Amino acid sequence: NMATEIIILNCAECEPLLKLHRQVLENHAEEILYALSVIAETVEASKVIIAVKPAYKKAIAAVNKIIKNYKNTEIGLLPEIYPAGDEVVTIYETTGRVVPPGKIPISVGVTVFNVETALNIYNAVKNGTSVTHKFVTVAGEVKNPQTYFVPIGTTFEHLIKLSGGITRSDVTIVNGGPMTGTLATKFDVVKKNTNGILILPDDNQVVRKKQAQTGISVMRAKSTCCQCRSCTDLCPRFLLGHPIKPSEFMKAVSTGNVTDAPVLADSMYCVSCGICEMYAC
């Protein structure tokens, strides 16, 4: 018997270079707060929290202008950290509640909504319109980095063209942000979960990391992992008390010890934020 007590709008947008959520909230604050009030009334939630970082001043100003018209709605300021947009971290930072490992937000009485989803709900409720278009940020080595509103199915090649083309020839496309994004090609298309594409130089560290083969990464770990524990100390899920210890997993992998079943099983709580490999190590 799980009930939603708190609705959170996740406007953390913690991936570097992506800007669409703060821009959508700034330009559509009225529609989004209306949609959240409809959601809250429907599920009988007692509070709505707009989770946003202090640096997103324009989005905050747009919300503050109208927030008094919506009861039980408040702004929840997130710390300027990564990954504040991991919903489990968002929930902890705004409510102090910890979602247990392997559970979903409603297990602690919370439901989290994406900014664009809230706008889509407004359009569905008010105008009966379906989702056919998507906001996508194009950033990196393009002439005019920009956020676009394009039909789902638009090719990445077309997005790059809209941004004035590339500024150098040796580039790789990343679908998503530098931390959690994946390698893509110009023939890939915008899907309902495409938030942005980055055009990065081929020799960029982010690209190199994403091109690395797991087998080679394991060989490197065997020769270099010194068990400093930095990956565990910075793991956001470990810091929230979840039983995941990347350093213990690395020890098992680099020594070939596959008998430590709990360490391997607990690695399934990984949320793929990338902190351990992209930054901590």
Side-chain angles (χ1 to χ4, degrees), residues 91-248:
I91 290 166
Y92 173 74
E93 294 294 350
T94 51
T95 69
R97 301 182 184 194
V98 177
V99 178
K103 294 281 199 288
I104 57 174
I106 201 166
S107 65
V108 293
V110 179
T111 305
V112 182
F113 285 86
N114 172 303
V115 173
E116 203 172 349
T117 302
L119 181 58
N120 288 337
I121 289 171
Y122 172 85
N123 288 326
V125 169
K126 275 289 195 192
N127 311 316
T129 50
S130 305
V131 178
T132 57
H133 287 61
K134 181 82 186 65
F135 289 96
V136 183
T137 297
V138 184
E141 297 288 348
V142 288
K143 290 199 175 74
N144 305 306
Q146 203 92 251
T147 298
Y148 299 98
F149 189 57
V150 294
I152 290 167
T154 301
T155 63
F156 289 179
E157 183 176 30
H158 187 68
L159 286 176
I160 292 167
K161 237 179 234 167
L162 287 176
S163 294
I166 54 177
T167 54
R168 51 191 288 172
S169 56
D170 55 332
V171 293
T172 299
I173 302 172
V174 174
N175 178 6
M179 299 295 281
T180 62
T182 53
L183 296 176
T185 73
K186 63 182 183 179
F187 303 112
D188 282 309
V189 300
V190 173
K191 297 178 179 168
K192 66 178 182 178
N193 58 350
T194 309
N195 282 336
I197 64 167
L198 305 181
I199 317 304
L200 301 177
D202 291 338
D203 60 356
N204 184 282
Q205 184 197 355
V206 169
V207 173
R208 288 276 166 86
K209 279 278 190 193
K210 293 183 189 305
Q211 286 169 335
Q213 295 172 353
T214 304
I216 292 171
S217 296
V218 169
M219 297 298 283
R220 285 179 179 154
K222 284 181 178 178
S223 66
T224 57
C225 179
C226 64
Q227 281 296 295
C228 70
R229 266 187 60 101
S230 193
C231 54
T232 296
D233 290 341
L234 292 179
C235 171
R237 293 299 175 97
F238 171 77
L239 291 170
L240 284 176
H242 289 197
I244 175 170
K245 295 182 180 173
S247 54
E248 293 293 318

